Amino acid sequence: MSDRSDIERDIAEEDELRNLLRSGDGQLVAPPVALVEQRAQQQQSFPAFATIAAALLVVVVAIGIGSRQVGAPTSSVSPSPLPTPAASGTASSPSASPSGVTDAARAAAISRVAALTGEVLRVDHADAKLVRWSDFEAVAQTGNAAADERQVWIVAVSGEIAPSFAHGNRFAWGMFVVDANTNGVLGVTAGSAAWPPVFGLVREPAGPARPEPTIAFPQPSVPDNNVSCGVLQPGSITSGEGSGADELRPAVSAAYGVTPLFRVGLPPTGRPAYGTYTCLRARPGAPMAGLVGYLQPGDPAYIAPSALTPTGFALPAGCRYVGEPTSELFADQVVWKLDCGAAANTSARSNLSSAIAAQGWRTCGSGATSSSWSKDGRTLAITESSGSTGDYPRLTLRPSAIC
Amino acid sequence: MYGVSVDADWRELYEEDATVLLRYLAKLTGDREMASELMQETFVRALRANPGFENPRAAHAWLFRTGTNLARNELRRRRLLAFVPFSGVEHAPRSAFDIEGDQVRAALRSLPFDQAATLLLHYHSGFRRNEIAELHGISEETVKSRLARGRKSFIAAYRRLERGLAR
């Protein structure tokens, strides 16, 4: 009897595994075969040009140190010997521009740069513009005499960039010049501001200036009074942001609502114990804020612990939060467990969807066990309980919108 | 002979296998961009190497073996490149708020590469155990063992993530 139930359990587990591993597959479709054939042709042509390319690499694959004075200082600009097959394109002559700028072409240019895994270590945001190289040079003034009339993609990337010329140094942005016809990377500029300041000055001739990228983060609904409250925790480690100091995790502020993390440096004396709900006024700073002073209940700016609930959503009657919310920093989200009664817990999405919609959230879609909604630059999601004893449905808030 | 250099066969092979290979690699690497690059590179190698397959199934196996090897090398390379002091969390690109997808990716990343690849080849891409054994050059017993351990570890990791515990 137990053998039979073991087998049934195994089969059920295998079915679940298949479903899980295949979830989301439908969104992925291979690009047209022509793209791969073109790539194969480019690679085949490489050996013939390898010697020329190697000889020209230092001279041609360059955006030289320039006299740019725009915006934040550029940390380093120099030739970047990118060992890509498409470097053979440097030996080609300028040719006609592509027939038009499509989103697919723009995405392909960005993908080309994102694929430079030796130099582009992390991409937070990317954009691309198609221009004549000489036009770009006129704006960027990198001092590169090689800039000719060919069409190039200027691909701007923020995140973590380690140009090969920089000997291990990393930068917050990179601006890559990619030959639009050969797909060869001609050079890279890197800097330490949040976004390449010169990129906004680059204009695509085919159309009006495109809007600058916006970072999807909730705008403050009230002026920021620099008061943040939350559960005091020792410093964690966050990719790209370093570690150390102390954190409110999760945190809540009048301006931004609930967010997974507020990093602050507290003096060693007179500090609350870790795990304590703490309200403080901070002096903005990076990578962490500095303490101005603690706030106590009764202070007009004090935010009660009860505010650590999903911003913009109130649980309907009959539901309650279970335990404390937790921050999942790897996913930039705060998670609550909720209990709406045993029966309702088995179908949390259908139970809560009308309340969520009534509060102005618009649906972003639904998966096998979760659904998500967006409002005011935030995303809310409900995940069904696994059904195990002691497990509850979960409500998740991210401080960014996806739809 | 199923020669990939013949246009018709090559395109037929791409139509049949490119998307399934892409989906497998996306799950294996947890990174769609990387998966797209690896998938294309796999087909480029097939086109250039022109291995000459006996049948479509052999071509299918060749593509998945090559794709898996490319993914292993690329992930190893990225791990080396991505290491920096104070950065204990690897960046996991995501294009949408996809809780289940995040959990599946995180659970897969908690497994050793070969275990994850075996699990995906069997439960995701439908390879039989003996085919995986041949593909990886290992015994069928080893495949069974990887599947059993991988299944247990994956489910445990997924459950932990479902309950909201740290991965």
Side-chain angles (χ1 to χ4, degrees), chain A residues 10 13-14 16-18 20-33 35-37 39-40 43-44 47 111-112 114-115 117-119 121-124 160 170 237-240 242-243 326 328 330-333 335 337 349 367-372 379-386 388 391-392 394 396-398 402, chain B residues 7 10-11 14-15 18-19 22-24 26-27 32-41 43-45 47-48 74 77-78 80-92 94-104 106 108 119-120 122-126 129 150-152 154-155 158-159 161-167:
Chain A
D10 275 359
E13 198 170 271
E14 287 195 318
E16 185 190 5
L17 191 55
R18 275 190 197 93
L20 280 173
L21 293 178
R22 290 173 181 169
S23 64
D25 269 2
Q27 300 161 18
L28 267 182
V29 177
V33 66
L35 195 68
V36 179
E37 289 176 335
R39 180 177 174 140
Q43 289 197 12
Q44 278 175 340
S111 294
R112 173 74 183 90
T117 53
E119 308 214 352
L121 306 186
R122 197 186 79 239
V123 178
D124 293 336
E160 193 170 7
R170 291 154 194 253
I237 297 172
T238 309
S239 180
S243 64
T326 55
E328 291 183 347
F330 68 89
D332 191 27
Q333 63 192 19
V335 182
K337 291 176 184 170
R349 286 176 297 172
T369 61
S370 66
S371 296
S372 56
T379 303
L380 189 70
I382 290 183
T383 306
E384 300 288 355
S385 159
S386 66
S388 307
D391 195 24
Y392 292 95
R394 287 180 297 146
T396 307
L397 181 77
R398 276 189 187 173
I402 60 150
Chain B
D7 282 354
W10 149 255
R11 290 189 175 140
Y14 189 85
E15 291 301 322
T19 294
L22 173 65
R23 290 172 178 175
Y24 161 75
K27 286 287 187 328
R32 291 179 175 201
E33 293 289 344
M34 193 199 304
S36 180
E37 279 296 312
L38 294 172
M39 184 279 289
Q40 291 181 47
E41 183 59 27
F43 273 93
V44 165
R45 290 189 182 201
L47 191 61
R48 293 176 64 192
E74 183 62 19
R77 199 161 73 93
R78 287 194 181 199
L80 291 173
L81 286 167
F83 176 77
V84 286
F86 308 119
S87 178
V89 180
E90 286 187 53
H91 180 67
R94 55 179 184 273
S95 57
F97 192 21
D98 170 14
I99 292 176
E100 282 160 17
D102 281 351
Q103 287 174 185
V104 169
L108 280 171
L119 206 64
L120 283 166
H122 186 61
Y123 290 109
H124 176 272
S125 305
R129 288 171 186 158
R151 195 175 86 190
K152 194 174 168 187
F154 176 87
I155 295 281
Y158 188 82
R159 293 275 179 266
L161 290 158
E162 252 190 345
R163 291 196 302 271
L165 303 179
R167 61 179 175 174

Side-chain angles (χ1 to χ4, degrees), chain A residues 341-381:
Chain A
N345 285 352
T346 60
S347 185
R349 286 176 297 172
S350 61
N351 180 45
L352 292 172
S353 60
S354 58
I356 293 172
Q359 293 177 46
W361 296 83
R362 69 175 190 278
T363 181
C364 295
S366 191
T369 61
S370 66
S371 296
S372 56
W373 292 265
S374 280
K375 183 175 80 168
D376 298 337
R378 296 181 181 84
T379 303
L380 189 70

Side-chain angles (χ1 to χ4, degrees), chain A residues 152-226:
Chain A
V152 293
W153 284 102
I154 305 301
V155 181
V157 176
S158 67
E160 193 170 7
I161 316 297
S164 54
F165 65 75
H167 307 296
N169 289 317
R170 291 154 194 253
F171 301 96
W173 63 260
M175 202 158 51
F176 294 78
V177 180
V178 180
D179 189 309
N181 290 301
T182 67
N183 219 19
V185 180
L186 303 174
V188 57
T189 310
S192 53
W195 184 250
V198 77
F199 188 72
L201 304 175
V202 179
R203 295 273 183 265
E204 280 184 341
R210 300 171 63 243
E212 284 300 288
T214 54
I215 296 171
F217 195 83
Q219 296 301 305
S221 54
V222 297
D224 192 351
N225 63 2
N226 295 324

